[in-house]
Amino acid sequence: MRAYHKPAPDAPASVMQIDLPRPGPGQIRLRIAACGLNFADLLMLKGQYQDTPAAPFTLGMEVAGTVEALGEGTEGPAIGTRVAVFGGQGGLAEYGCFDAHRAVPLPDAMPMTDAAAFLIAYGTSHLALGHRARLQPGERLLVLGAAGGVGLTAVEVGKLMGATVIACARGKDKLEAARRAGADHLIDAGTDDIRAIVKSLGGADVVYDPVGGEQWQAAFRACNPEARLLPIGFASGEVPQIPANHLLVKNLSVLGVYWGGYMRFNPKALTDSLRVLLDWYAAGRIKPHVSHILPLEQVEDGLELLRSRASTGKVVITM
């Protein structure tokens, strides 16, 4: 089968032919239709992601496809079931084997490209804002990187939870995408004073930050007392240092969020969250924003779209 594979620690990843995998006990084998790209894939290529597997491995964290084989002792999902899976790796391939308990059956009307763009982005935002930050109706939510893969979903989810959403992104087109997703106020990260504008709007009660760097610092200084800050990632390349004395003065809380980690220590939080999100999707309340759909042969182009921040929403690779 074809796969975007890293054959050795010192070898680059590329699309190549590798053996068809066999499902082990408790696993399913998927015929993969689509795989969503994530910023973590770029970190994994450089060995900088917290869950980078040892080479050889196939990249691709979240997939959608059809169950076509079951491992020994695996009771389901049944062969032929359409599912989405957060596997952490193995998704940028024509076939992949994953633990059966990670498979989420899809609504009949959900296209595979939507499903491959759904789990991590919506799951992260819903778990972060609901389970971690306890976002309340009427609070002001500041979303940094608001036109990215997770940022747009934070705008949507925050709005559905009743917050006033302040979206921060770079450039007119990306801000327009955030506005369409439900943002009440827009800040251009390239030209505007984030701190001054947020404070003029009444300050932030919750900050959702996949960017880090200078934007984190500006948001931090625009927080209201008892605000909650959610570091989601560091797309700027700069992990900010958090002054504990400032947390003390304003009674602030910093709440780390690593969505995939819940699979190990609290999978029920994930499954409960995904159940709500899939109900919202079926009701037409949320819809993944996929800016680019590319074939497997163009996976490098897709990764470059993330690297250069040229995409809005998600980039999806089809097989």
Side-chain angles (χ1 to χ4, degrees), residues 147-150 152 289-291 306 311-315:
V150 292
L152 272 178
H289 181 86
V290 179
S291 64
L306 300 188
S311 60
T312 56
K314 293 286 285 191
V315 177

Side-chain angles (χ1 to χ4, degrees), residues 151-310:
L152 272 178
T153 63
V155 173
E156 281 187 276
V157 170
K159 194 65 179 173
L160 283 170
M161 293 176 71
T164 297
V165 179
I166 307 168
C168 182
R170 196 175 296 271
K172 181 176 67 175
D173 292 344
K174 292 189 174 185
L175 288 172
E176 175 58 22
R179 186 195 64 77
R180 290 196 302 268
D184 299 285
H185 305 283
L186 305 175
I187 298 175
D188 191 323
T191 58
D192 292 338
D193 184 329
I194 297 172
R195 179 194 182 196
I197 294 175
V198 173
K199 288 182 72 69
S200 74
L201 294 170
D205 300 305
V206 174
V207 175
Y208 182 100
D209 180 21
V211 178
E214 292 181 357
Q215 292 190 38
W216 166 277
Q217 300 297 344
F220 188 91
R221 296 168 68 194
C223 282
N224 291 326
E226 294 195 327
R228 289 87 74 204
L229 298 101
L230 299 160
I232 307 296
F234 312 104
S236 68
E238 181 184 340
V239 178
Q241 302 304 301
I242 299 167
N245 58 323
H246 291 189
L247 297 179
L248 181 153
V249 169
K250 282 192 174 181
N251 293 287
L252 303 178
S253 299
V254 178
L255 306 167
V257 182
Y258 171 40
W259 183 80
Y262 279 85
M263 194 68 73
R264 290 190 290 272
F265 69 87
N266 188 2
K268 186 177 184 298
L270 287 191
T271 54
D272 288 350
S273 171
L274 289 173
R275 189 175 298 113
V276 171
L277 289 166
L278 286 169
D279 286 346
W280 284 357
Y281 179 92
R285 302 183 73 189
I286 55 176
K287 166 80 173 161
H289 181 86
V290 179
S291 64
H292 295 80
I293 299 175
L294 301 171
L296 182 60
E297 291 76 15
Q298 291 181 249
V299 64
E300 294 279 4
D301 295 333
L303 291 168
E304 181 56 31
L305 288 167
L306 300 188
R307 191 178 290 113
S308 63
R309 303 187 200 178

Side-chain angles (χ1 to χ4, degrees), residues 26 76-77 98-104 263 267 271:
F98 307 98
D99 291 342
H101 71 268
R102 294 190 175 213
V104 179
M263 194 68 73
T271 54

Side-chain angles (χ1 to χ4, degrees), residues 1-7 12-18 45 57-59 92-94 295-301 303 317-319:
M1 69 172 187
R2 294 177 306 147
Y4 185 66
H5 191 71
K6 186 174 176 65
S14 64
V15 177
M16 61 181 68
Q17 292 283 339
I18 64 172
L45 283 171
F57 68 94
T58 295
L59 280 93
L92 285 167
E94 293 175 312
L296 182 60
E297 291 76 15
Q298 291 181 249
V299 64
E300 294 279 4
D301 295 333
L303 291 168
I317 303 298
T318 58
M319 309 306 150

